[in-house]
Amino acid sequence: MATFDVALFGEMMVLLVAADPGPLEEVHTFHKMTAGAETNVGIALARLGAKVAWASRLGDDTMGKYLKNVMQQEAIDCSRVLMVPRERTGFMLKGKVIEGDPPIEYYRSGSAASAMTADDLDPDWLGQARHLHVTGIFPALNAGTYALTTAAMQHMRRAGGTVSFDPNLRPALWGSTELMRSRLNELAGLADWVLPGLEEGRILTGADSEEGIAAFYQGLGVQAVVVKLGARGAFGQAGNQQFRVSGYPVEKVVDTVGAGDGFAAGLISGRLEGLDWQASVRRATIIGACAVQVAGDTEGYPDRARLAELGRV
């Protein structure tokens, strides 16, 4: 029997969100929150009752302690999170806007998590999980984090577990579009399920349509591809089965950050609970919709009772 439902690697950062609109240099008050694609997925899964384990490194500083405390309060296993003296925890600033995308500044270079390598992989720990979720952000940090991500995906597949991959493009971290495309498609080929957004899929595959994107990744041996279409919902192909799921209605979009991570959590939880692909994607769209209606990466993720109210799944 597996000890955990889902294992995650990745960097978690402190997110400082401006309290008022305006240029960041003119803002005096910020609200402290959390950020990190992999950990966003972990928090969303834990709120749905999944047993989640997270492996990382944090600086043994006040910000690192804050982040670890948040994860533990969400009932996430942090036994493989190393607190490192004299190393620092990454953080980011995000502005507040009335509409459109907010300005963001990252302060993550040289963080404790960026020093992780394949030597940090504990196969026995990873083997206790049923599923591994990976995004394209952590492996983009440097060669060490890329090697760790590759090794973890290969080990999980050998151990008989499943692997999901969200490309989560961050071009600034890769240096060139060609390198980004090559490396992320290598990782996609190690996954069972690939979850690109439509524009991400176009950049990575050269295909114009969601059907073309799915065909590209199935050509790499991927079992299922789910293409996120924003407010229009999602397109999925699992084996020979194709389907579409409409977007969940949203009255007002406040902040889109964290929506894709919530989507991934909904899909993963549905599949691990035995729901079919279409029902799992339906759940994914509901959680993604919850995320965009509030500020912050994780603040909108529902618990089990709220999910039942919203989606009856």
Side-chain angles (χ1 to χ4, degrees), residues 11 13 61 70 144 152 159 168 205 209 217 254 276 279-280:
E11 179 177 28
M13 295 179 291
D61 51 27
V70 167
N168 221 324
T205 71
S209 66
Y217 285 117
V254 175
D276 64 25
S280 297

Side-chain angles (χ1 to χ4, degrees), residues 167-196:
N168 221 324
L169 301 193
R170 295 294 187 275
L173 294 176
W174 288 103
S176 75
T177 300
E178 292 72 21
L179 179 63
M180 178 179 70
R181 184 182 294 119
S182 172
R183 291 292 177 86
L184 291 182
N185 285 336
E186 286 175 11
L187 293 175
L190 298 175
D192 297 285
W193 318 332
V194 177
L195 318 175

